[in-house]
Amino acid sequence: MASVLVPTVCPYCAAGCGFFIAVQKGRALGIEYMPDHPVNEGALCSKGNAVLEILDHPDRLRTPLRRKGDGWERISWDEALDLIAKGLGSALKRCGPDSIGFLSSSKCSNEENYLFQKLARSIGCRNVDSCARLCHAPSVVGLNRTLGAAGMTNPISDIANSKCIFIIGSNLAENHPVLSRWVHRARDAGATVIVADPRRTHTTWMADTFFPLKPGTDVALLNGLAHVIIKEGLVNRSYIEEHTRGFEDLVAAMVEYTPERVADVTGIPAGDIVRAARSYAKSPASVILYSMGITQHTTGTDNVQAIANLALLCGQLGRKGTGVMPLRGQNNVQGACDMGALAEFYPGYKKADDPETIRLFEAGWGIEGLPLGKGFAATEMIEKAAEGRLRAMYIMGEDPASSEPCSQNAQTALKALDFLVVQDIFMTPTAKLADVVLPAAVWAEKDGSYTSTERRVQWSSKAIEPPGSALSDLDIICRVAGRMGLDFSYPDAESVLAEINRLVPQYGGITRERLDPHGLVWPCPDSCHPGTPILHAGGFKLDGGRAAFVPVRYRPPAEPISSEYPFILTTGRVTVHHNAGSMTRRSPSLQKREPDLFLEVNLKDAQELDVADGDEVTVASDRGETVAVARLTDGMKRGVVFMPFHFSRTNILTSEFTDDEARIPEFKVSACKITKRD
Ligand code: SF4
């Protein structure tokens, strides 16, 4: 019997690689590559190649569960839905809608994120957010304010057309491996590559110039580049006059960022800053790629705005090979934001504190009394749960007990809730704290659309059935909504997408039938529109059609080192794992390659600490301590150490300080100390 090839999209990073699942007799037998895919051209990285390993994993949740003493009792869906209606309903009745928090998932489809936030808001609750808060919330705030659209401006494949590629705060060679192929292609065609990162990573191997800057000094570096460009008259005058506002304010604010002063702050030689500024400004097509090294700071929004300022100064936008490219982490983090799974926005980035937004969605959903105003962000939900202001939570596909900073505090806060329901594919550390656990389908077991980091909306088709009585997240949300007295009669994902087409202008023409074979790129306002691979080609969707310069000042990270905690801990990803690791750490071929938590330490620092490669060390911060295996390297700056965040023990250490606006934690800078274990 021949196998059927079902087209799908990789559920790990947001590069959005496509491939086929070969299915025979209802089983996923293997992967077939998709050579005509516009992003990965048939290639997959190690995570993509291993993705089927988790489908039949014995840890998959197969039936709804209720907490019973220290253990779990299997229950029917009917019983589970009764418990949820009772748990959420009781908080609603006793303490009002603001006492409930809804945490949505960037792993889930657009349709699921859309319905999840609709469920929250339909019962009057403003507190709906997603894990986008922990990765790219500053991109949403900063890019909306400066450029008027919170998305990557140019397609991934367009990187190949660039002549100067500036990568800051992104280890894309490990985190978006397939995407780095396009950087290599540009380099082979003569592009200059500049990489700024506190750590020498695999990405720096492709750099012509490497800036090992001090963690948290990105604004100083970016302003220093702007200073040189302004001082040397390398700005694009006609572009600035035609397309921007606020230039004079920026010029005034950049005066103090001389290369010498910036060299003092960042540790990058002044001459290198001048040369990089000239390369970026003079190249006919320059692009800036960034990721969580930029966003996960108390200055995350400022960092993003400083990047946009640089691109606007030189008119490096709206053309082939140019742009500002935030590289999103999880497969559908762009889509979760687009769909309004954010405390500040309804779908389509309609402001939650604008009465017009409420009127629009009340009419569109046929519901009165939708909540006006921003809700609690994911990080604030944890704070409010600890304070007793949040009494119940519904968490879909997220693991805040592992991924929140100072994770032991997050666990205590979740335990303090009167009621917690978690819907997931595995029993995560968060699910272990729940009153009710619901078994969900993985991406291959359901239909739906996903929006990659380049704003490409792709349809992923159901290939196989979920295990046991697990259901798609969409099906579960509809059942919960029904039990809460709402009419969520959506027969399938396609019918939800049809509603999205009506209410989210960017997705107006992104209908199911137009998504084969490789999707459409938003904004795509109507059914005849071809999609918009390059943003801002014809100007900006801001007041007067002009982008805004937003001058920002350098501020040091919130938590300084001290004599007690003399090292800066920075966290990030490794090639073979993803986010909190619930999937990749259950994938045998990946887990074998990176089985445990490690700490990268500079060779000279290690010598002073009397630590050898492979020694166990205790890493402690003001919040707690954990054990890791030391990995000695000359790729770390002295005084800086690195730990991957795929192991739940990492966030015991991380700082709870957040960016004032985007409310993202400063995962990239925490003060710590290291001691060798006996
Ligand atoms: Fe999946 Fe990202 Fe790897 Fe592509 S690069 S195969 S999307 S993890």
Side-chain angles (χ1 to χ4, degrees):
M1 183 184 175
S3 44
V4 179
L5 297 183
V6 181
T8 192
V9 186
C10 178
Y12 285 124
C13 92
C17 298
F19 61 95
F20 296 100
I21 301 177
V23 179
Q24 203 178 76
K25 293 186 181 167
R27 287 187 58 103
L29 292 186
I31 281 172
E32 287 282 333
Y33 298 118
M34 197 179 266
D36 62 341
H37 192 277
V39 173
N40 59 311
E41 298 179 315
L44 292 178
C45 75
S46 47
K47 289 191 288 287
N49 274 307
V51 73
L52 301 187
E53 291 177 12
I54 56 145
L55 295 178
D56 289 332
H57 197 284
D59 290 354
R60 283 292 303 274
L61 292 167
R62 288 172 161 76
T63 179
L65 301 168
R66 163 172 54 191
R67 174 172 300 286
K68 192 172 183 195
D70 289 338
W72 298 95
E73 180 187 19
R74 290 179 186 191
I75 53 175
S76 68
W77 274 104
D78 252 357
E79 288 170 296
L81 294 170
D82 280 346
L83 288 170
I84 295 164
K86 194 171 153 209
L88 298 182
S90 155
L92 201 58
K93 202 165 150 196
R94 284 188 298 113
C95 309
D98 282 346
S99 70
I100 306 177
F102 286 78
L103 196 51
S104 196
S105 173
S106 301
K107 287 204 283 280
C108 292
S109 69
N110 287 324
E111 294 73 23
E112 289 161 345
N113 275 284
Y114 175 85
L115 284 191
F116 196 75
Q117 61 80 36
K118 181 174 176 180
L119 166 61
R121 288 167 167 145
S122 297
I123 62 164
C125 176
R126 293 180 297 181
N127 308 324
V128 59
D129 211 36
S130 65
C131 55
R133 183 67 50 194
L134 304 182
C135 63
H136 271 281
S139 298
V140 175
V141 179
L143 293 182
N144 265 322
R145 182 177 295 143
T146 50
L147 306 182
M152 191 159 147
T153 60
N154 290 47
I156 289 170
S157 59
D158 190 42
I159 296 169
N161 296 318
S162 187
K163 298 297 170 206
C164 176
I165 301 172
F166 180 26
I167 303 170
I168 180 163
S170 172
N171 179 11
L172 56 89
E174 289 201 71
N175 300 337
H176 301 85
V178 163
L179 194 147
S180 65
R181 300 164 75 242
W182 297 99
V183 179
H184 282 295
R185 216 169 280 189
R187 246 191 126 228
D188 291 347
T192 301
V193 179
I194 303 163
V195 175
D197 198 306
R199 178 174 165 243
R200 197 162 72 224
T201 65
H202 292 189
T203 304
T204 56
W205 296 347
M206 56 177 105
D208 298 288
T209 305
F210 171 46
F211 288 165
L213 80 172
K214 290 180 195 156
T217 62
D218 307 85
V219 163
L221 175 62
L222 292 159
N223 283 357
L225 296 170
H227 173 102
V228 174
I229 289 166
I230 293 166
K231 188 169 170 225
E232 299 197 356
L234 301 175
V235 299
N236 186 333
R237 280 252 162 226
S238 58
Y239 185 88
I240 291 168
E241 278 163 24
E242 199 179 337
H243 294 296
T244 71
R245 60 191 155 83
F247 175 61
E248 296 307 329
D249 291 343
L250 185 82
V251 171
M254 294 303 105
V255 169
E256 63 183 287
Y257 293 92
T258 61
E260 294 70 28
R261 182 186 165 221
V262 170
D264 273 353
V265 175
T266 61
I268 309 300
D272 289 357
I273 294 168
V274 172
R275 276 186 289 281
R278 289 174 186 158
S279 288
Y280 177 80
K282 288 182 179 176
S283 136
S286 297
V287 62
I288 304 175
L289 310 182
Y290 73 88
S291 196
M292 297 194 303
I294 279 292
T295 55
Q296 289 182 330
H297 288 282
T298 47
T299 56
T301 305
D302 287 351
N303 290 347
V304 172
Q305 290 170 162
I307 285 173
N309 289 341
L310 204 55
L312 289 170
L313 267 183
C314 303
Q316 298 284 16
L317 285 160
R319 291 178 285 114
K320 275 189 174 180
T322 65
V324 170
M325 300 204 180
L327 306 179
R328 309 296 183 116
Q330 186 67 55
N331 61 335
N332 200 35
V333 73
Q334 178 72 54
C337 296
D338 300 345
M339 294 301 116
L342 283 174
E344 303 94 332
F345 296 105
Y346 275 64
Y349 302 99
K350 300 287 182 195
K351 289 182 180 157
D353 52 7
D354 181 352
E356 185 50 40
T357 299
I358 304 306
R359 275 193 285 279
L360 183 76
F361 283 93
E362 284 184 342
W365 293 345
I367 294 172
E368 287 187 0
L370 291 178
L372 173 71
K374 291 179 190 175
F376 298 141
T379 38
E380 290 167 321
M381 287 185 204
I382 299 298
E383 283 167 30
K384 302 301 172 195
E387 290 167 12
R389 279 185 62 188
L390 213 63
R391 301 303 327 154
M393 279 187 82
Y394 181 177
I395 299 177
M396 172 172 80
E398 281 308 312
D399 185 11
S402 302
S403 58
E404 285 287 319
C406 191
S407 50
Q408 61 279 32
N409 278 359
Q411 288 164 21
T412 307
L414 293 170
K415 280 183 203 158
L417 293 167
D418 295 335
F419 181 73
L420 173 62
V421 51
V422 174
Q423 157 178 332
D424 214 314
I425 60 173
F426 293 118
M427 185 62 89
T428 62
T430 300
K432 284 180 184 162
L433 305 174
D435 298 287
V436 176
V437 177
L438 305 176
V442 296
W443 97 106
E445 297 157 355
K446 59 189 181 183
D447 288 321
S449 70
Y450 298 82
T451 306
S452 72
T453 191
E454 63 171 5
R455 295 173 284 114
R456 181 179 298 278
V457 185
Q458 301 182 90
W459 191 262
S460 183
S461 298
K462 178 174 177 174
I464 54 171
E465 291 297 327
S469 63
L471 295 171
S472 74
D473 293 279
L474 188 142
D475 204 351
I476 300 172
I477 297 164
C478 289
R479 289 180 188 214
V480 171
R483 207 52 77 100
M484 303 281 296
L486 300 165
D487 178 16
F488 271 39
S489 18
Y490 298 93
D492 49 30
E494 213 168 316
S495 62
V496 182
L497 182 56
E499 184 171 311
I500 294 168
N501 296 152
R502 287 197 300 279
L503 288 172
V504 180
Q506 297 92 328
Y507 283 66
I510 300 184
T511 55
R512 168 64 193 96
E513 55 279 9
R514 296 187 74 205
L515 287 181
D516 293 331
H518 301 309
L520 281 164
V521 178
W522 71 251
C524 176
D526 59 62
S527 57
C528 300
H529 196 284
T532 315
I534 299 184
L535 287 176
H536 317 308
F540 296 89
K541 301 261 182 298
L542 281 166
D543 291 349
R546 288 174 180 272
F549 284 109
V550 179
V552 291
R553 293 177 63 82
Y554 165 68
R555 288 177 287 133
E559 186 169 79
I561 55 168
S562 61
S563 52
E564 188 178 2
Y565 298 112
F567 287 91
I568 294 175
L569 169 69
T570 189
T571 65
R573 297 195 176 112
V574 297
T575 311
V576 295
H577 284 305
H578 199 60
N579 288 0
S582 66
M583 289 159 72
T584 51
R585 283 192 291 106
R586 286 184 172 88
S587 188
S589 67
L590 301 176
Q591 180 64 6
K592 194 167 64 185
R593 286 173 60 184
E594 209 57 272
D596 204 359
L597 183 59
F598 65 85
L599 181 81
E600 281 189 1
V601 189
N602 175 281
L603 284 166
K604 291 205 172 88
D605 286 337
Q607 211 172 18
E608 283 176 13
L609 292 164
D610 189 28
V611 168
D613 198 56
D615 279 353
E616 277 200 341
V617 291
T618 300
V619 190
S621 75
D622 205 19
R623 294 155 287 276
E625 62 178 49
T626 191
V627 174
V629 176
R631 222 173 250 187
L632 308 198
T633 167
D634 59 1
M636 291 305 299
K637 282 183 82 65
R638 290 212 62 182
V640 183
V641 292
F642 168 84
M643 209 179 239
F645 55 56
H646 315 294
F647 302 87
S648 47
R649 299 185 335 253
T650 304
N651 279 322
I652 290 172
L653 305 168
T654 46
S655 152
E656 291 178 289
F657 291 106
T658 59
D659 177 295
D660 287 343
E661 278 195 280
R663 299 179 276 178
I664 190 172
E666 190 155 57
F667 287 113
K668 292 295 186 251
V669 183
S670 305
C672 73
K673 67 180 171 189
I674 299 152
T675 43
K676 183 176 169 177
R677 278 164 64 90
D678 296 328

